[in-house]
Amino acid sequence: MFLSVFELFKIGIGPSSSHTMGPMTAAVRFLDQLRDRARHEPDAPPPVALRATLYGSLAFTGKGHATDRAVRLGLLGFLPAEIEMTAAEQGLGELAVTKTLRPPGLPAMAFDPDKDVVFDFGPALAGHANGLVFEAFDEAGEVCCAGTYYSIGGGFVVSEAERLHPASASADEAKAWPYPFSSAEGMLLMAQQSGKSIAEMKRANELVVNSTDALDDGLVRIWGTMSDCIDRGLALDGELPGGLKVRRRAKNILGQLAREAGSNRIQPHVASDWLSVYAMAVNEENAAGGKVVTAPTNGAAGVVPAVLRYYLDHCVGAERGRVPEFLLTAAAIGGLIKHNASISGAEVGCQGEVGSAAAMAAAGLCAVLGGTPAQVENAAEIALEHHLGMTCDPAGGLVQVPCIERNGIGAIKAVAAASLALRGDGSHFMPLDNCIEAMRQTGAEMNSKFKETSLGGLAVNLPEC
């Protein structure tokens, strides 16, 4: 199993990796599918109109997550990591007037942005809770090309064909990875045998597919984007979009913390407030549609940056040169969780989002504070264990309540987990692998009302006023 650090940490836009970034990417992929059809079937009737239909969680919370807007942006050719917002807004404005798509390499196609993104509130598609279907129509009004895609969390997208026939590495390809661990048990065994840290093994695997410069530059870019997102969130105030009238709080909390600095009346638990304000700053930016890094998702994007900023700005002996070690360790843990369970709130609830993020952050912090591989695994297990059963029930389908505060609490749990693990020798009762499996089983048994549909939990228990 190999999942790159740059697949876990993707630069994109808010408010959701599964409901915004994934559908945008799927739309771009469908345009590529149409181009492939034109190349391989030159005599086939050309498409003249297009429609997208959203299913499952994408339908139920798609409005709050701006999924319809994301689909339109994708059909205009924009990808999350490369989007330039001025050009994107101009494209959306033109599409609203012309109701016509003009993708490069394809004929013009009719597409009414208000009617041709359909929210289907019936049963979800069989492949995943986040499904969407694109259909292209010919002059006779018949479907001439269709594509089914699933947004499986963290910005990852698979087609129906990929779901049914997943690519599997050959034995020779598997041997290409110096440390091909697919479980925490295997990871610890390889660390023991090699004498390497988890980050060192992860780096060695990354260098199979990335040059040293590309890996190092990419990690610098990831942390730079995360740090910039914190700074933007701390500098802005006002009301978040979406209709819930939720106001940004990070700037005000930062002001309070700054005024208290140097006071002899600061409570010892103020460290929790710093962790919370860093995480909330990120998730307020995400809720506003700003540039964020999936970590491993947008809904949980604040935990890892908050803990890493906390390490750099508040921990004794912190070294900026250890940022790559933090990120690589966190990515190794995130890869295990995604491979053996899920990071999708629509699939397993928020335990798969904030729970996974807390495990990743705890592992990263434990590593840079000098933890052994066994202590790092213990830190990840503690953090994940104490998120088991957490539902995904966003009010109004928006990534605001309880998501913003939840990231702050997840960051606090991550630091507590790392600290507890460092107080021990790495031996503990519940292995991380078993905890990941417990999360998978819990998610499978969880009612769909609590898996990013906004049909249960906090989402239906709103203030009357």
Side-chain angles (χ1 to χ4, degrees), residues 213-285:
D213 287 346
L215 177 58
D216 291 340
D217 292 347
L219 292 172
V220 168
R221 183 180 180 221
I222 291 297
W223 170 238
T225 305
M226 288 179 169
S227 185
D228 289 346
C229 185
I230 293 174
D231 292 340
R232 285 196 310 275
L234 292 174
L236 298 173
D237 53 19
E239 190 175 286
L240 293 170
L244 292 183
K245 300 187 182 301
V246 172
R247 296 194 64 82
R248 291 178 182 253
R249 289 183 289 162
K251 180 180 179 181
N252 180 55
I253 295 172
L254 177 66
Q256 294 178 40
L257 291 170
R259 288 191 293 274
E260 292 168 6
S263 167
N264 59 5
R265 296 177 62 84
I266 296 177
Q267 296 291 352
H269 55 258
V270 72
S272 296
D273 295 336
W274 282 105
L275 282 161
S276 292
V277 78
Y278 294 148
M280 290 170 64
V282 172
N283 284 86
E284 286 174 355
E285 273 296 283

Side-chain angles (χ1 to χ4, degrees), residues 339-355:
H339 177 68
N340 294 302
S342 175
I343 58 171
S344 168
E347 197 167 21
V348 297
C350 199
Q351 59 177 352
E353 297 206 29
V354 171

Side-chain angles (χ1 to χ4, degrees), residues 41 45 102 126 134 149 156 207 335 339 403 419 424:
E41 302 176 47
R102 292 183 172 83
F134 294 93
Y149 296 87
F156 290 89
L207 290 176
H339 177 68
C403 317
S419 184

Side-chain angles (χ1 to χ4, degrees), residues 26-262:
V28 171
R29 288 188 60 181
F30 183 64
L31 294 180
D32 289 338
Q33 181 180 331
L34 289 176
R35 294 185 186 101
D36 286 341
R37 172 181 177 269
R39 283 192 293 270
H40 294 106
E41 302 176 47
D43 297 328
V48 299
L50 195 148
R51 181 173 65 201
T53 305
L54 311 177
Y55 294 88
S57 176
L58 293 184
F60 283 103
T61 60
K63 284 289 185 183
H65 287 72
T67 305
D68 47 350
R69 183 175 186 270
V71 168
R72 294 195 289 269
L73 286 169
L75 293 175
L76 289 168
F78 293 102
L79 281 167
E82 303 163 5
I83 191 167
E84 200 286 306
M85 294 312 299
T86 300
E89 293 299 337
Q90 181 179 344
L92 289 172
E94 292 174 356
L95 180 61
V97 174
T98 65
K99 295 179 173 49
T100 303
L101 295 167
R102 292 183 172 83
L106 290 169
M109 291 177 285
F111 180 81
D112 187 332
D114 294 324
K115 297 179 181 178
D116 290 327
V117 180
V118 179
F119 292 80
D120 189 315
F121 298 106
L125 300 181
H128 193 274
N130 291 333
L132 63 166
V133 174
F134 294 93
E135 296 169 298
F137 300 87
D138 60 23
E139 284 281 5
E142 299 294 326
V143 175
C144 60
C145 185
T148 299
Y149 296 87
Y150 301 99
S151 180
I152 61 174
F156 290 89
V157 173
V158 296
S159 67
E160 179 71 0
E162 291 165 343
R163 182 185 75 86
L164 295 174
H165 307 287
S168 58
S170 68
D172 288 340
E173 289 173 330
K175 290 177 183 176
W177 311 114
Y179 304 98
F181 54 84
S182 59
S183 67
E185 181 182 19
M187 178 182 71
L188 292 179
L189 179 61
M190 291 178 195
Q192 183 181 36
Q193 292 173 341
S194 67
K196 292 184 179 295
S197 69
I198 292 169
E200 287 170 334
M201 293 191 298
K202 179 65 174 166
R203 172 176 281 274
N205 287 343
E206 291 286 343
L207 290 176
V208 174
V209 293
N210 293 295
S211 69
T212 300
D213 287 346
L215 177 58
D216 291 340
D217 292 347
L219 292 172
V220 168
R221 183 180 180 221
I222 291 297
W223 170 238
T225 305
M226 288 179 169
S227 185
D228 289 346
C229 185
I230 293 174
D231 292 340
R232 285 196 310 275
L234 292 174
L236 298 173
D237 53 19
E239 190 175 286
L240 293 170
L244 292 183
K245 300 187 182 301
V246 172
R247 296 194 64 82
R248 291 178 182 253
R249 289 183 289 162
K251 180 180 179 181
N252 180 55
I253 295 172
L254 177 66
Q256 294 178 40
L257 291 170
R259 288 191 293 274
E260 292 168 6

Side-chain angles (χ1 to χ4, degrees), residues 345-399:
E347 197 167 21
V348 297
C350 199
Q351 59 177 352
E353 297 206 29
V354 171
S356 297
M360 293 165 65
L365 181 62
C366 185
V368 297
L369 290 178
T372 65
Q375 288 172 317
V376 168
E377 184 263 1
N378 188 16
E381 186 278 327
I382 294 170
L384 183 60
E385 180 179 54
H386 296 290
H387 283 87
L388 291 180
M390 182 174 282
T391 59
C392 183
D393 47 357
L398 297 164
V399 193

